[in-house]
């Protein structure tokens, strides 16, 4: 099975570098100028500087050429996933599509596997998610991720194809759990960044992470996910990483909110749109998601940090 990575941002480039250690990989960029620059420099200086592209990577901006591969990894932001699939749906027919994005679609409340199933019903959909920074994968540091696919045989084949020397994949058929863990942990990372940025300390962060995890489970279980998926790499694992490292863009957005500073709007921060999508989904499902709701208030500037903190601390006392 041949493989192509569609989307040449930080994560797509890192995955291509890792996979190129065991097989030829096509890396697609929608921007011909960017593709040419990467081909010449043998580096993605725009999104992942400092990590050379191995010879086994072919960079192209020709989507027809890239979609010749059997397995297509979609490493584009969540809110762009539907557009790229819908615009070129004939090219994706019958392929194995592995989404590498984390989030919930703002307009529909759907996760990446659901969006792929809806947009290209003839394709077989999977999800690669879990704790990993693009820089760590590109540097060949040890990493473990979750590969989710509802078809157990395909999941096993993909696990073999996409596991590399330093990137170890665990498989699950629980796509809903993997989708929601990866999406919701980014919302909690924004909250944790805000707490640290505002100087509220590590104990407050631990409280938010734990109660945030309860919130993640509440929504995921209501959507039919398995608790063990949330306890795995795609849920607890990624929550831990993203809520505690300044390499995370979601966490850094939170830090800037907590410090009252601005933030570059061109940076991909999946948790911002996802917080709004989840807040609205929670309302529809009659689920209590106070941290998510508070993050939306911070993002919309309808709450100050002081108000957000007071609001969370004043909630009725309850059993854990
Ligand atoms: N950077 C990281 O460490 C990790 C990122 N991810 C996930 O990977 C996904 C992508 O993130 P990054 O690569 O980091 O973002 P990025 O901001 O570095 O790159 C996004 C890429 O998507 C491309 N893109 C945007 N809209 C597009 C469209 N309509 N059609 C085609 N391409 C389009 C952009 O040109 C850019 O190359 C996100 O969902 C993120 O949560 C997951 C794990 C780690
Ligand atoms: O998903 C990630 C780590 O697993 C990357 O986090 P950010 O998108 O917050 O940078």
């Amino acid at each position: 099975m041949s493989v192509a990575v569609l989307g040449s941002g930080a994560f797509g480039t890192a995955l291509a570098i890792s996979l190129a250690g065991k097989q030829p990989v096509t890396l697609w960029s929608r921007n011909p100028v960017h593709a040419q620059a990467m081909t010449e420099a043998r580096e993605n200086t725009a999104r992942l500087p400092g990590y050379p592209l191995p010879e086994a990577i072919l960079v192209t901006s020709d989507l027809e050429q890239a979609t010749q591969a059997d397995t297509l990894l979609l490493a584009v932001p969540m809110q762009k996933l539907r557009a790229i699939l819908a615009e070129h749906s004939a090219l994706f027919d019958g392929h194995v599509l592995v989404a590498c994005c984390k989030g919930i679609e703002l307009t529909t409340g759907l996760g990446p596997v659901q969006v792929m199933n809806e947009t290209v019903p003839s394709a077989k959909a999977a999800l690669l998610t879990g704790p990993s920074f693009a820089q760590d994968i590109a540097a060949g540091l040890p990493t473990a991720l979750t590969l989710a696919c509802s078809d157990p045989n395909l999941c096993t084949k993909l696990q073999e194809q996409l596991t590399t020397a330093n990137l170890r994949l665990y498989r699950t058929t629980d796509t809903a759990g993997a989708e929601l863990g990866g999406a919701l942990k980014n919302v909690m990372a924004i909250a944790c960044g805000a707490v640290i940025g505002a100087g509220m300390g590590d104990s407050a962060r631990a409280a938010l992470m734990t109660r945030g995890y309860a919130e993640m489970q509440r929504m995921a279980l209501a959507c039919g996910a398995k608790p063990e998926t949330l306890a795995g790499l795609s849920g607890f694992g990624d929550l831990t990483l993203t809520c505690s490292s300044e390499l995370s863009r979601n966490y850094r957005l939170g830090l800037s909110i907590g410090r009252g500073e601005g933030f570059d709007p061109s940076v991909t921060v999946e948790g911002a749109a996802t917080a709004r999508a989840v807040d609205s989904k929670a309302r529809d499902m009659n689920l209590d998601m106070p941290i998510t709701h508070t993050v939306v208030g911070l993002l919309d500037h309808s709450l100050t940090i002081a108000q957000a903190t007071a609001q969370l601390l004043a909630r009725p006392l309850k059993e854990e």
Side-chain angles (χ1 to χ4, degrees):
M1 294 197 292
S2 49
V3 64
V5 180
L6 309 184
S8 58
F11 197 43
T13 305
L15 288 171
I17 290 172
S18 185
L19 287 164
K22 64 185 261 193
Q23 63 194 309
V25 181
T26 304
L27 176 62
W28 175 79
S29 167
R30 64 177 166 159
N31 180 345
V33 177
H34 187 217
Q36 186 61 30
M38 282 192 284
T39 302
E40 283 166 15
R42 298 309 299 170
E43 186 181 334
N44 185 348
T45 50
R47 296 282 176 171
L48 194 65
Y51 300 94
L53 302 184
E55 283 309 313
I57 296 180
L58 169 77
V59 182
T60 182
S61 60
D62 180 345
L63 191 57
E64 269 193 57
Q65 182 185 18
T67 50
Q68 298 299 311
D70 312 299
T71 305
L72 305 178
L73 271 57
L74 290 145
V76 296
M78 178 64 212
Q79 307 305 324
K80 312 284 180 180
L81 181 64
R82 182 182 295 273
I84 176 176
L85 292 172
E87 208 177 310
H88 311 280
S89 61
L91 291 178
F92 294 105
D93 262 346
H95 275 88
V96 175
L97 303 180
V98 184
C100 303
C101 43
K102 296 176 181 171
I104 299 295
E105 196 176 45
L106 192 50
T107 48
T108 61
L110 299 179
V113 172
Q114 293 171 308
V115 168
M116 293 189 296
N117 282 336
E118 200 175 277
T119 330
V120 193
S122 63
K124 299 171 190 90
L127 177 70
L128 184 60
T129 184
S132 67
F133 289 122
Q135 296 90 329
D136 293 343
I137 290 186
L141 300 177
T143 316
L145 296 179
T146 298
L147 179 74
C149 178
S150 59
D151 174 342
N153 293 328
L154 177 60
C155 202
T156 302
K157 278 190 197 144
L158 284 172
Q159 182 184 31
E160 280 160 17
Q161 185 188 22
L162 302 177
T163 290
T164 70
N166 298 307
L167 178 58
R168 180 175 165 80
L169 303 191
Y170 288 80
R171 64 177 186 272
T172 177
T173 52
D174 180 12
T175 56
E179 281 180 322
L180 284 162
L184 287 162
K185 64 87 190 176
N186 279 334
V187 179
M188 303 312 157
I190 296 175
C192 287
V195 155
I196 296 298
M200 284 186 249
D202 290 336
S203 304
R205 172 178 29 202
L208 259 187
M209 283 175 70
T210 313
R211 294 313 305 163
Y213 183 61
E215 213 167 292
M216 287 165 64
Q217 279 190 311
R218 201 171 301 141
M219 171 156 280
L221 300 193
C223 292
K226 294 183 186 159
E228 56 267 35
T229 312
L230 270 291
L233 291 160
S234 56
F236 177 76
D238 214 354
L239 178 73
T240 309
L241 180 72
T242 318
C243 292
S244 60
S245 170
E246 290 196 25
L247 277 183
S248 160
R249 298 160 296 190
N250 287 279
Y251 181 73
R252 288 204 305 274
L253 170 63
L255 280 179
S256 72
I257 292 172
R259 291 173 181 154
E261 296 170 354
F263 194 80
D264 178 355
S266 70
V267 174
T268 300
V269 181
E270 293 286 29
T274 291
R276 296 180 175 103
V278 171
D279 190 41
S280 143
K281 196 174 163 95
R283 226 178 358 259
D284 293 347
M285 294 172 74
N286 206 17
L287 290 173
D288 195 21
M289 306 272 291
I291 300 173
T292 304
H293 188 63
T294 303
V295 168
V296 172
L298 290 173
L299 291 168
D300 290 348
H301 306 289
S302 60
L303 283 179
T304 63
I305 285 279
Q307 287 168 333
T309 310
Q311 186 173 291
L312 285 174
L313 289 173
R315 285 168 43 77
L317 298 176
K318 56 190 275 200
E319 262 189 47
E320 192 173 22

